[in-house]
Amino acid sequence: MSAAPLQGLRVVVCASGVGAAYAMRLMATMGARATLAEPEGGTPLRREPPFLPGGQSALFAYLATGAESRTVEPGTPEFGALLSEADVFIDDTPVADRAALGIDEASIAAAHPQLIHVSVLPFGAHGPKAGWRGEEINVLHASGEGFLLPNG
């Protein structure tokens, strides 16, 4: 039996939306050791309906499959230690909020030069729309697919 393609890879994820959490799920499915770094109170994905019997979000249950969860805030020494052990950092924190948390590109590159920093934002981290917020439906329609397939 062959090893999983990403076995041995360590991934830390800050995800409040589906895109970054789905990237985490895919990497965990391929064998990476994925850790979801959640703020106190948990990621907003834990509160997304529909809910399974027992009250857990079905969306969160799906996206977090194969990942471990740790309550740790970005910018803390514990978060820095977590990143020091990682190979990949996946983040969907808005660009404007990153510097205050110490997770902007420059800070991450200086403190963790070995780390691959993946930014998962609806309109990218650079460019005229980088500050725009959006959900999956906004991205679908902004890409043109919503125009081409208006009825699904």
Side-chain angles (χ1 to χ4, degrees), residues 6 19 29 55 58 66 71 80 86 101 107 109 150:
L6 298 182
T29 300
T71 301
L101 298 171
S107 298

XYZ file of all heavy atoms in Angstrom, residues 6 19 29 55 58 66 71 80 86 101 107 109 150:
74
model
N 0.206 13.516 0.548
C 0.633 14.629 1.397
C 1.021 14.177 2.810
O 1.134 15.004 3.714
C -0.459 15.701 1.472
C -0.831 16.369 0.145
C -1.889 17.435 0.362
C 0.378 16.935 -0.555
N -14.100 28.395 1.714
C -12.955 28.188 0.826
C -11.721 27.657 1.537
O -11.147 26.640 1.141
N -7.583 14.991 3.562
C -7.982 13.783 2.845
C -6.791 13.153 2.125
O -6.710 11.933 2.008
C -9.099 14.116 1.832
O -10.217 14.634 2.553
C -9.531 12.900 1.045
N -26.954 19.012 17.452
C -26.641 20.422 17.353
C -25.393 20.815 16.582
O -25.114 21.991 16.438
N -23.728 20.676 10.129
C -23.404 19.670 9.111
C -22.274 20.179 8.214
O -21.386 19.412 7.824
C -24.644 19.347 8.279
N -11.150 14.974 9.289
C -9.728 14.686 9.138
C -8.806 15.724 9.744
O -7.591 15.562 9.716
N -7.894 25.760 19.983
C -8.301 27.125 20.289
C -7.035 27.929 20.509
O -6.340 27.762 21.507
C -9.193 27.157 21.541
O -10.342 26.336 21.306
C -9.632 28.575 21.850
N 2.244 31.396 17.070
C 3.563 31.414 16.451
C 4.240 30.057 16.554
O 4.878 29.594 15.596
N 4.667 24.093 11.259
C 3.887 23.837 10.042
C 4.708 24.021 8.775
O 5.731 24.702 8.759
C 2.672 24.759 10.010
N -2.923 41.435 13.499
C -2.801 40.108 14.094
C -1.406 39.512 13.914
O -1.126 38.420 14.403
C -3.834 39.166 13.464
C -5.301 39.551 13.666
C -6.200 38.668 12.804
C -5.681 39.444 15.128
N 5.188 39.846 7.914
C 5.408 39.279 9.250
C 5.572 37.769 9.202
O 6.445 37.202 9.872
C 4.238 39.626 10.175
O 4.132 41.019 10.338
N 6.557 35.951 6.578
C 7.819 35.627 5.894
C 9.021 35.854 6.802
O 9.982 35.074 6.778
C 7.952 36.456 4.620
N -28.026 31.321 -15.301
C -28.842 32.038 -14.317
C -29.839 31.163 -13.567
O -30.271 31.509 -12.487
C -29.552 33.118 -15.138
C -29.555 32.584 -16.526
C -28.302 31.767 -16.667
